[in-house]
């Protein structure tokens, strides 16, 4: 069922799934003709930003959903995902799940927007009537989101995002890790491979240059003079946007969460909306609590992430930085 050529074709699509900081931690090993072992590359983790490994595991989950969508094009489907509890690491790879493939039925419509989805870090234009309709359709379609609208509420969330972001940026290890995954110049050897490149972050060259200094050697002094928070503020990026609070059942395996997260993002894309996660809002306990209380996230649900979304004021960045398919098969 799964020969090398088909696996390569599938992974060319699977690798388009989102991953935290674009670290692309997921690797695949065919075992027999109908089984794939999903492994995690342990050199691709985020000990400062994601100490529990939640977001890395969620990223594996998004890759599983990507596989499910890609299989549909070939009349195949995922029959079973068996999470593996054996944590033995060999050759830098940790087994995460065993995935069994079987014949499937019809193609999932979301497969058609896989190549169009991208993190949108630019600005938004005001919602027009069609945009409002798209937002309503998205909200009806995605069961796991709570939409927040209204300029005041959005601005309050934008300020909270700045507070949360600054909280994490004040941690030296967190800042250094973020900078390590940023590719601020085209001459960076991994610019097209992984991480966050200037284009994907919607940063003109001069801003990218400034970011290297602000998050790097200048940060302690800028902080002392009370300038750092303003320089790293992303409040303006919320102008004209809506916010979607993405919540899932408490205690859910992040592999399952990641599948739902990717689907929610594809549903947005299918409606012509653009979005970017603002993870700090969910990751910082203080902002997470505030959002859950203010916007009545239902009991028993965990606020997993927050999307800033809307009608993009511009076109998405051209190519996506991704690892070659051959490196994903181990
Ligand atoms: C769990 C998770 C958390 C993320 N958090 C953020 C975030 O806080 N800010 C951001 O700009 N992008 C965030 N992203 C988006 C990734 O950086 C993005 O998916 C990756 O760079 C690949 O780019 P693409 O989405 O355009 O394919 C997150 C993605 C995942 C899966």
């Amino acid at each position: 069922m799964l020969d090398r050529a088909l696996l390569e074709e599938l992974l060319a699509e699977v690798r388009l799934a989102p991953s935290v900081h674009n670290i692309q931690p997921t690797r695949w090993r065919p075992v027999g003709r109908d089984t794939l072992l999903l492994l995690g590359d342990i050199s691709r983790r985020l000990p400062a930003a994601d100490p529990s490994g939640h977001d890395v595991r969620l990223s594996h989950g998004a890759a599983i959903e990507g596989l499910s969508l890609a299989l549909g094009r070939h009349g195949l489907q995922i029959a079973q995902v068996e999470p593996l509890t054996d944590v033995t690491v060999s050759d830098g790879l940790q087994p995460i799940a065993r995935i069994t493939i079987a014949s499937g039925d019809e193609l999932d419509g979301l497969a058609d927007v896989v190549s169009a989805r991208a993190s949108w870090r630019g600005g938004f234009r005001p919602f027009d009537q069609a945009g409002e309709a798209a937002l309503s359709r998205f909200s009806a379609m995605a069961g796991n989101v709570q939409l927040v609208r209204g300029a005041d509420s959005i601005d309050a969330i934008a300020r909270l995002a700045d507070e949360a972001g600054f909280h994490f940026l004040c941690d030296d290890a967190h800042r250094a890790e973020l900078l390590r995954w940023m590719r601020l110049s085209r001459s960076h050897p991994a610019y097209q491979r992984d991480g966050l490149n200037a284009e994907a972050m919607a940063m003109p060259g001069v801003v990218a240059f400034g970011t290297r200094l602000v998050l790097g050697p200048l940060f302690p002094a800028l902080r002392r003079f009370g300038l750092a928070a303003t320089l790293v503020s992303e409040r303006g990026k919320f102008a004209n946007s809506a916010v979607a609070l993405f919540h899932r059942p408490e205690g859910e395996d992040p592999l399952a969460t990641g599948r739902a997260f990717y689907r929610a993002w594809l549903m947005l894309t299918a409606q012509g909306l653009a979005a970017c996660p603002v993870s700090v809002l969910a990751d910082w306990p203080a902002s997470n609590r505030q959002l859950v209380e203010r916007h009545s996230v239902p009991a028993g649900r965990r606020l997993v992430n927050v999307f800033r979304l809307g009608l993009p004021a511009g076109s998405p960045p051209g190519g996506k930085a991704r690892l070659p398919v051959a490196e994903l098969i181990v």
Side-chain angles (χ1 to χ4, degrees):
M1 205 183 288
L2 270 179
D3 58 24
R4 174 84 187 195
L6 175 56
L7 183 57
E8 286 182 3
E9 204 177 317
L10 293 168
L11 295 186
E13 247 184 279
V14 172
R15 69 183 180 151
L16 300 179
S19 66
V20 59
H21 284 16
N22 200 20
I23 63 173
Q24 302 171 60
T26 308
R27 300 291 173 270
W28 305 90
R29 178 175 295 159
V31 186
R33 290 187 58 76
D34 67 352
T35 304
L36 282 172
L37 209 53
L38 187 163
L39 302 124
D41 178 341
I42 64 157
S43 68
R44 290 170 176 268
R45 288 181 176 170
L46 300 171
D50 182 35
S52 71
H54 174 274
D55 279 3
V56 173
R57 194 167 170 86
L58 188 154
S59 303
H60 290 313
I64 293 175
E65 188 57 29
L67 176 69
S68 169
L69 293 168
L71 284 168
R73 289 190 199 286
H74 299 271
L76 298 170
Q77 65 178 352
I78 293 181
Q80 196 193 3
V81 177
E82 182 196 342
L84 299 171
T85 45
D86 176 10
V87 291
T88 316
V89 172
S90 148
D91 293 332
L93 296 166
Q94 181 187 348
I96 305 289
R98 183 179 291 107
I99 298 174
T100 317
I101 315 288
S103 300
D105 35 34
E106 68 222 47
L107 177 63
D108 188 321
L110 290 180
D112 289 339
V113 287
V114 162
S115 54
R117 186 212 56 84
S119 297
W120 174 252
R121 301 189 179 90
F124 296 96
R125 57 194 162 83
F127 279 97
D128 52 16
Q129 215 176 353
E132 292 290 350
L135 205 53
S136 303
R137 281 194 301 273
F138 162 65
S139 157
M141 215 172 159
N144 313 301
V145 299
Q146 201 124 326
L147 272 189
V148 182
R149 303 297 311 282
D152 290 348
S153 301
I154 298 296
D155 193 48
I157 293 179
R159 287 165 186 264
L160 194 58
D162 272 359
E163 241 188 284
F166 193 62
H167 165 81
F168 289 116
L169 287 179
C170 286
D171 175 43
D172 293 345
H174 187 107
R175 237 175 30 256
E177 184 179 86
L178 178 60
L179 267 178
R180 242 190 337 272
W181 284 101
M182 282 184 169
R183 282 81 177 95
L184 294 167
S185 148
R186 284 197 159 270
S187 61
H188 192 292
Y191 194 88
Q192 303 287 4
R193 280 173 57 84
D194 59 14
L196 303 162
N197 70 32
E199 225 173 315
M201 289 186 291
M203 277 185 190
V206 60
V207 178
F209 182 76
T211 299
R212 192 201 316 267
L213 297 174
V214 169
L215 294 184
L218 294 185
F219 192 87
L222 290 168
R223 189 179 171 200
R224 252 193 325 277
F225 292 117
L227 296 170
T230 310
L231 283 169
V232 298
S233 170
E234 299 221 306
R235 189 174 158 202
K237 291 200 168 183
F238 284 77
N240 298 320
S241 79
V243 161
L245 306 177
F246 174 76
H247 53 80
R248 293 291 298 173
E250 291 277 5
E252 179 176 66
D253 182 344
L255 283 185
T257 311
R259 296 190 69 172
F261 179 76
Y262 190 17
R263 290 188 70 79
W265 202 338
L266 291 170
M267 286 175 201
L268 278 167
T269 309
Q271 297 306 325
L273 299 164
C276 182
V278 188
S279 296
V280 288
L281 280 165
D283 292 348
W284 191 34
S287 47
N288 190 307
R289 204 168 36 244
Q290 274 194 47
L291 290 173
V292 165
E293 282 169 15
R294 272 191 210 157
H295 301 286
S296 312
V297 172
R301 309 285 295 184
R302 168 182 180 174
L303 175 61
V304 176
N305 213 312
V306 176
F307 286 106
R308 178 174 69 224
L309 72 148
L311 300 172
S315 359
K320 270 181 184 291
R322 289 296 191 269
L323 296 172
V325 165
E327 288 184 31
L328 307 178
I329 304 173
V330 292

